[in-house]
Amino acid sequence: MNDLRKIFAELHNALKLFVQMNGKAMTDAQALSVSTMHETWKAGRVFEAEDVGSVVRYGDKLYRIVSAHTAYAHYPPDGEGLLALYRPIVIGHTGDEGDPIPFVYGMDVTAGLHYSYESYVWIASKDMMPCVWPPSEGNEWERV
């Protein structure tokens, strides 16, 4: 039984390494399908130019690295004003009125799709990539 556990642990580590090395090539949907396998964001990590496009996990969300930088504790991926460094990955919803996309600050928003935010459904009036305006009346959103 211990040999089987050791083999499973080695396979798990190999898969995790594979996912981390190939995150740039994954679609957002593929990245989310193996969300626990991505590198966990840590302060002090230096993201080089070759890391751009790769995926990190912070809390229960995934983020794509947008540009080379050093990660600092006071600038986590979900921090305000960090969209030049990280972009949240959100998929799994059709964006129609019956299946709106949960709005996450900094996500890419597509005109005509529906988003849920603070118990309401909103429709985006234009593409916003990244979106820094949470849905509200009068700022590129219309409440459905």
Side-chain angles (χ1 to χ4, degrees):
M1 189 63 151
N2 283 340
D3 288 340
L4 194 53
R5 285 186 181 159
K6 183 178 177 186
I7 290 169
F8 179 75
E10 289 172 354
L11 284 172
H12 181 267
N13 289 338
L15 178 58
K16 193 171 186 174
L17 180 61
F18 176 83
V19 166
Q20 291 175 10
M21 291 176 63
N22 292 286
K24 288 194 290 189
M26 292 180 174
T27 65
D28 289 351
Q30 290 169 334
L32 283 170
S33 73
V34 289
S35 63
T36 61
M37 295 284 171
H38 294 282
E39 176 183 353
T40 300
W41 182 89
K42 291 183 182 89
R45 164 75 155 88
V46 176
F47 293 102
E48 305 286 346
E50 60 266 13
D51 295 315
V52 171
S54 62
V55 178
V56 294
R57 186 170 29 93
Y58 182 72
D60 63 347
K61 293 185 174 64
L62 295 181
Y63 296 83
R64 275 214 194 265
I65 303 301
V66 178
S67 61
H69 67 281
T70 299
Y72 292 105
H74 56 286
Y75 294 129
D78 64 351
E80 190 170 329
L82 295 177
L83 299 174
L85 305 179
Y86 310 98
R87 193 68 53 83
I89 296 174
V90 180
I91 62 136
H93 300 272
T94 61
D96 61 24
E97 190 172 352
D99 187 23
I101 302 163
F103 177 81
V104 175
Y105 177 84
M107 71 189 307
D108 290 341
V109 166
T110 303
L113 293 183
H114 293 77
Y115 296 82
S116 59
Y117 183 70
E118 294 184 346
S119 302
Y120 295 106
V121 174
W122 302 82
I123 190 165
S125 62
K126 72 175 197 174
D127 291 342
M128 296 173 271
M129 299 183 186
C131 183
V132 295
W133 299 291
S136 68
E137 295 290 344
N139 69 350
E140 313 303 343
W141 295 96
E142 179 184 330
R143 195 165 91 186
V144 178

